[in-house]
Amino acid sequence: MKIEKSSLSPSADLWYTRPAANWDEALPVGNGRMGAMIFGKPSDELLQLNEDSIWSGNFRNRNNPKAYDNLEKIRQLINEEKTTEAEELCSDAFYGTNENQRHYQPLGDLHIWQNAPDCSEYKRGLSLEKAVSWTNFTSNGVKYTREVFASHPDECIIVHFTADKKGSISFTAAIDGRDDNYDKNEAYDDKTVLFTVSDGIPYACAITVTAVGGEWGTDANRLVCKNADEAMLIIAAQTSYRTGDYEKLCISQAKRAARMNANRLLKRHMEDYSKLFDRCSFFLYPGDGANSALPTDERLKAVKEENAIDNELAALYFNFSRYLMISGSREGTLPLNLQGIWNKDMWPAWGGKYTVNINTEMNYWGAEIQNLSECHTPLFDHIERMRENGRVTARTMYHCGGTVCHHNTDIWGDTAPQDKWLPGTLWPMGMAWLCTHIWEHYLFTGDKDFLEEKFDTLCEAAEFFADFLTEDEKGRLVTNPSVSPENTYYAKNGRTGTLCKGPSMDSQILYVLFTAVISSSEILGERQDFAEKIRSMRDRLPKPEIGKYGQIMEWAEDYDEVEPGHRHISQLYALYPADIITPADTPELAKAARATLERRLSHGGGHTGWSRAWIINMWARLLDGEKVGENVQALLAHSTSINMFDMHPPFQIDGNFGGGAGIAEAVMQSRCEAVSGKAEISLLPALPPAWKHGSVRGMKARGSFTVNFDWSDGRITKAELLSDCGNRVSLRVKGDIIVTCGGEEIRLTENKGALEFDTEAGKRYGISAK
């Protein structure tokens, strides 16, 4: 195996022999801001369209003014385990004054009618290497091809029609609104149709037709092409969220793109996309019973019904998660919501919002390790959008400084409690968890300018808790009121409860946030007095505890869960995405984490796609490759639609990103001492037994290393590290190795089973088995 060359599996396409029967079988394209789901129908094609800033309305202040006056009362009720009374007070004084934040909405449906009787030789697919969806079929002896791609540089979605016989391209196309929800739907001129909506966030969509040969133009609200050699539909959209003259801008974007031919548009699109996608790749050799020559839906069926071990399908899942990240989250766009940028419903499941008690965070778990740091930036931008609203919520509801968010936010960065749902609504940790992503980005990149820019944001998130935390009967600092996300417990008096003080996840998130503030202060030499205050508070946070079942306790008390197989496993935040619990450093807690997972799974846990994805990551952190393999298999068999989308059910994109991150954690894990920059990298720490042979290119490790490696029979044969910052590295690899740089062998120091050496910035280090 050559380390220099990157290669995907030969089956790097998703492909099928029939059109999509429904939305969950359609194929996604996106440019970060605009998305489309392509059904691949020969005669009546459908593209369901989205734009990331089409939401149901403007910002509104939903903070409940009664909250602070009742804060101490609800705390006392929680302390006394008067759960019913506490929850009644919560519904009156702490729910938002309007139940709902704004929700995500679709743009519209583009219909394309192309007369194609007696179709044969049908195939459709999605190329991950090109980011192009394609449909091929033969009708009346003519071979037709439609290609759809979403161009980031040209901010348009392009539908390109070709045929192997000149003069064969004829079609009619029209856009339709969801639930009759539009104002204009008419010809703007003889080549362009304009579609506008004023409800919610106003927007416009311009669609232009262009062709070679034949005739083309508009007819009322339709686009028509007759007897052309080839043709294009170019779709542009803009909203009032980003520009005042959104109609004019989208028209100019569509027309500018129409002045280029299809080859140039495709070239510009692929050059932009490839800069990101080609950085990293993941390849596994086939497993037993797999057949990569089959269509994707048949491969998934074989996994589900025959328990086929399709290693290349697992690799495809990883690379598909990278495709979705690049397609759905680019610099300057909004972050990925529950559906990414792909949503068909006027009122989607859970509003298609940003659910920040795990789901939004999970969307970005793979961004850094998959070498897509730029795609992480929309999340950081959104945190800044939330800061001022979070200050208002902190002052209004709690009379605290800093900034806070509950378990959801929306396009406007709304931070008030969402829903009227006791298990989820009154959870004050959303901003804190989101801010840990700022810290993760720094650990992976070593970008001190970024850290300095975001340091005040980290501090402000911590400032809220400096005021909000209260002392419990054991002298610990705890959150109160709070919940363990979406779960319910049996109190000592036999009542069920959700509201509580000091749930385990809260203390774990705060430990990571406070550590980020303390370390950032030391790195930057700023706000050292505040950092010392936070350090003393961190020392008083509850530590993970082991309960009566040998499990990590979920609440401050060793309560039983009403639902032992619950989808959230919040008490294991310390295991993943944090690294507070590790087999090496905290073996007893790691054993308890295993018991927690086994208990959840034995009661039916992992039944949602995103929960299964989280479980993959946690087994990887427990270094159990066999369990990783079993749960990847379960994710493919039970939580993956034929278009490879994660199914909650319904569709929810976080499982795709969480699953991709989990596959990465199985083959490489890393840690970093932030102040010194010293990194620890483990290669193949939790390799499933079936993944005997494979290769990785371009994964990123904390400490700012780019890592390539090959393995055979479960052991590294060759690897390479590129050091970006010149940090010292501790390497964990099975077997004896030699490290070289520029032809010179590097002296290695053994430390607790790892091999350490210093690196220089910009240099490559080769690793080979002895």
Side-chain angles (χ1 to χ4, degrees):
M1 301 178 190
K2 292 185 178 179
I3 213 74
E4 299 84 9
K5 183 148 177 80
S6 172
S7 63
L8 287 175
S9 161
S11 55
D13 281 9
L14 286 67
W15 70 277
Y16 311 84
T17 57
R18 58 180 178 83
N22 53 56
W23 191 91
D24 291 319
E25 297 183 0
L27 295 172
V29 298
N31 62 12
R33 186 175 62 82
M34 293 180 67
M37 294 292 287
I38 301 105
F39 283 63
K41 299 180 178 182
S43 296
D44 57 341
E45 175 64 297
L46 172 61
L47 273 68
Q48 186 269 308
L49 302 171
N50 288 96
E51 201 272 355
D52 69 347
S53 60
I54 297 176
W55 287 61
S56 59
N58 292 317
F59 178 78
R60 52 194 175 198
N61 181 3
R62 302 168 44 258
N63 293 296
N64 195 326
K66 299 168 69 174
Y68 179 70
D69 290 340
N70 290 280
L71 180 59
E72 289 308 315
K73 184 176 181 180
I74 200 170
R75 282 174 168 168
Q76 187 60 35
L77 290 170
I78 289 169
N79 288 337
E80 296 171 1
E81 283 196 346
K82 294 181 178 178
T83 56
T84 302
E85 295 87 341
E87 290 166 1
E88 287 174 354
L89 182 57
C90 175
S91 65
D92 176 55
F94 288 87
Y95 285 161
T97 52
N98 183 292
E99 176 180 351
N100 289 303
Q101 298 168 345
R102 298 304 189 179
H103 61 272
Y104 191 45
Q105 293 184 327
L107 189 162
D109 291 341
L110 177 63
H111 299 273
I112 303 169
W113 297 280
Q114 187 175 0
N115 188 23
D118 302 321
C119 272
S120 61
E121 299 178 301
Y122 177 90
K123 282 187 180 180
R124 69 181 176 105
L126 174 66
S127 168
L128 301 187
E129 291 180 303
K130 298 178 180 179
V132 174
S133 175
W134 48 269
T135 304
N136 299 332
F137 57 89
T138 297
S139 177
N140 288 335
V142 180
K143 292 183 178 179
Y144 293 92
T145 297
R146 281 198 301 265
E147 293 181 316
V148 184
F149 57 95
S151 170
H152 178 69
D154 291 305
E155 294 197 70
C156 294
I157 295 173
I158 293 98
V159 186
H160 183 213
F161 304 78
T162 57
D164 68 351
K165 181 181 178 182
K166 289 190 174 183
S168 298
I169 305 293
S170 296
F171 62 82
T172 301
I175 188 171
D176 187 18
R178 303 293 300 173
D179 298 338
D180 200 33
N181 183 43
Y182 59 88
D183 300 312
K184 293 180 187 176
N185 191 355
E186 60 194 27
Y188 172 79
D189 59 23
D190 63 345
K191 297 293 187 293
T192 302
V193 163
L194 181 64
F195 174 83
T196 68
V197 174
S198 58
D199 289 347
I201 294 178
Y203 66 91
C205 176
I207 307 174
T208 292
V209 62
T210 182
V212 176
E215 300 175 5
W216 67 95
T218 56
D219 178 9
N221 68 333
R222 297 188 168 205
L223 299 131
V224 179
C225 179
K226 295 180 180 178
N227 305 322
D229 300 339
E230 66 173 292
M232 285 192 297
L233 290 171
I234 298 169
I235 309 155
Q238 289 290 341
T239 78
S240 64
Y241 179 79
R242 289 191 171 93
T243 178
D245 202 344
Y246 50 91
E247 289 188 22
K248 181 178 179 181
L249 180 57
C250 76
I251 290 166
S252 67
Q253 287 176 332
K255 289 187 170 294
R256 183 175 66 245
R259 290 194 288 271
M260 291 181 267
N261 63 35
N263 287 338
R264 185 179 177 196
L265 287 167
L266 180 61
K267 182 174 184 290
R268 285 165 56 83
H269 156 68
M270 286 182 57
E271 286 176 348
D272 169 79
Y273 172 80
S274 296
K275 288 176 184 176
L276 296 171
F277 190 77
D278 288 353
R279 285 182 190 168
C280 177
S281 67
F282 178 70
F283 177 77
L284 292 172
Y285 287 88
D288 297 334
N291 187 347
S292 60
L294 292 175
T296 305
D297 52 342
E298 294 185 31
R299 295 172 69 183
L300 284 163
K301 183 179 179 182
V303 171
K304 183 175 184 177
E305 296 182 359
E306 303 167 21
N307 198 32
I309 305 298
D310 192 337
N311 288 340
E312 288 181 300
L313 192 62
L316 185 67
Y317 196 96
F318 174 88
N319 291 314
F320 184 57
S321 73
R322 298 191 300 116
Y323 167 82
L324 292 174
M325 177 64 69
I326 299 166
S327 301
S329 185
R330 301 291 289 270
E331 291 177 280
T333 71
L334 289 165
L336 294 147
N337 63 45
L338 282 171
Q339 279 74 38
I341 53 169
W342 299 279
N343 160 53
K344 61 182 172 59
D345 298 313
M346 288 297 287
W347 195 290
W350 305 285
K353 296 187 292 295
Y354 305 108
T355 302
V356 294
N357 66 7
I358 187 171
N359 311 97
T360 301
E361 291 89 350
M362 183 180 285
N363 284 348
Y364 288 93
W365 281 353
E368 300 293 340
I369 194 170
Q370 292 176 345
N371 211 338
L372 294 172
S373 286
E374 301 96 322
C375 296
H376 211 165
T377 58
L379 186 64
F380 308 141
D381 295 342
H382 199 68
I383 291 169
E384 298 305 316
R385 247 174 245 123
M386 296 165 62
R387 275 178 77 185
E388 178 55 37
N389 296 331
R391 292 170 190 148
V392 174
T393 298
R395 290 193 299 268
T396 302
M397 290 188 62
Y398 304 106
H399 284 206
C400 291
T403 184
V404 67
C405 178
H406 295 85
H407 89 300
N408 271 260
T409 186
D410 65 7
I411 185 173
W412 304 107
D414 188 341
T415 55
Q418 158 68 26
D419 298 326
K420 294 181 177 179
W421 187 49
L422 288 168
T425 297
L426 197 57
W427 185 70
M429 304 302 301
M431 180 70 80
W433 192 347
L434 288 173
C435 283
T436 66
H437 280 251
I438 293 171
W439 184 235
E440 278 291 286
H441 181 76
Y442 173 74
L443 292 179
F444 272 96
T445 64
D447 187 342
K448 288 186 180 179
D449 290 339
F450 169 83
L451 185 63
E452 187 165 20
E453 177 188 338
K454 299 298 182 185
F455 180 53
D456 283 345
T457 306
L458 291 173
C459 290
E460 197 166 1
E463 283 166 358
F464 171 80
F465 292 97
D467 292 341
F468 178 75
L469 294 179
T470 62
E471 187 175 289
D472 72 1
E473 64 280 0
K474 298 178 182 178
R476 303 175 302 182
L477 295 178
V478 297
T479 53
N480 186 6
S482 189
V483 297
S484 186
E486 304 187 21
N487 210 351
T488 304
Y489 60 86
Y490 288 110
K492 294 175 184 175
N493 57 18
R495 293 180 179 182
T496 62
T498 54
L499 293 178
C500 64
K501 62 181 177 183
S504 298
M505 175 182 253
D506 289 12
S507 302
Q508 295 166 13
I509 290 173
L510 289 178
Y511 187 91
V512 175
L513 176 65
F514 287 2
T515 298
V517 170
I518 295 162
S519 298
S520 297
S521 172
E522 188 169 351
I523 292 164
L524 300 172
E526 298 180 15
R527 299 194 63 173
Q528 293 169 347
D529 289 345
F530 179 67
E532 282 306 307
K533 176 182 178 180
I534 293 300
R535 188 191 302 274
S536 67
M537 296 185 74
R538 185 184 66 176
D539 293 341
R540 295 179 62 194
L541 293 172
K543 309 297 189 295
E545 294 185 75
I546 299 173
K548 56 181 173 287
Y549 300 110
Q551 89 289 6
I552 299 293
M553 285 166 46
E554 184 164 357
W555 292 276
E557 300 292 336
D558 195 8
Y559 295 134
D560 279 334
E561 314 100 316
V562 172
E563 188 183 345
H566 200 269
R567 60 196 173 275
H568 284 258
I569 316 176
S570 302
Q571 65 271 45
L572 294 191
Y573 173 92
L575 178 66
Y576 186 93
D579 62 357
I580 298 167
I581 296 174
T582 70
D585 296 338
T586 58
E588 290 302 312
L589 290 176
K591 181 181 177 182
R594 172 180 287 274
T596 307
L597 281 175
E598 289 171 343
R599 177 173 165 80
R600 274 289 202 269
L601 288 167
S602 70
H603 287 86
H607 50 278
T608 66
W610 66 263
S611 180
R612 182 69 66 179
W614 193 4
I615 288 166
I616 293 168
N617 284 277
M618 290 189 283
W619 282 125
R621 286 288 176 88
L622 290 172
L623 311 181
D624 193 326
E626 186 170 347
K627 292 293 188 183
V628 169
E630 289 175 8
N631 284 275
V632 170
Q633 192 80 348
L635 183 69
L636 292 171
H638 305 298
S639 299
T640 304
S641 183
I642 72 164
N643 65 356
M644 297 291 284
F645 267 169
D646 167 69
M647 300 302 290
H648 183 284
F651 162 62
Q652 200 170 289
I653 204 167
D654 41 22
N656 285 106
F657 297 118
I663 290 168
E665 287 285 322
V667 298
M668 189 184 79
Q669 295 177 23
S670 64
R671 305 173 74 183
C672 180
E673 296 174 3
V675 177
S676 69
K678 179 185 172 184
E680 177 180 294
I681 301 172
S682 298
L683 299 182
L684 308 184
L687 190 72
W691 298 2
K692 294 178 181 178
H693 315 286
S695 64
V696 162
R697 300 292 177 271
M699 274 191 186
K700 290 289 287 190
R702 293 172 182 83
S704 196
F705 290 89
T706 304
V707 189
N708 306 323
F709 52 98
D710 299 325
W711 72 92
S712 182
D713 291 321
R715 288 183 175 267
I716 294 293
T717 56
K718 186 179 291 188
E720 180 182 76
L721 302 183
L722 171 61
S723 176
D724 296 327
C725 296
N727 290 324
R728 185 170 177 83
V729 64
S730 175
L731 195 63
R732 294 189 180 274
V733 183
K734 292 177 183 176
D736 295 328
I737 59 169
I738 296 172
V739 178
T740 60
C741 181
E744 302 268 334
E745 186 171 345
I746 301 297
R747 183 176 176 274
L748 306 177
T749 302
E750 187 173 354
N751 183 9
K752 296 180 181 179
L755 297 172
E756 291 186 4
F757 57 98
D758 290 318
T759 71
E760 294 183 43
K763 289 196 173 181
R764 294 179 181 272
Y765 295 83
I767 301 159
S768 57
K770 278 189 178 179

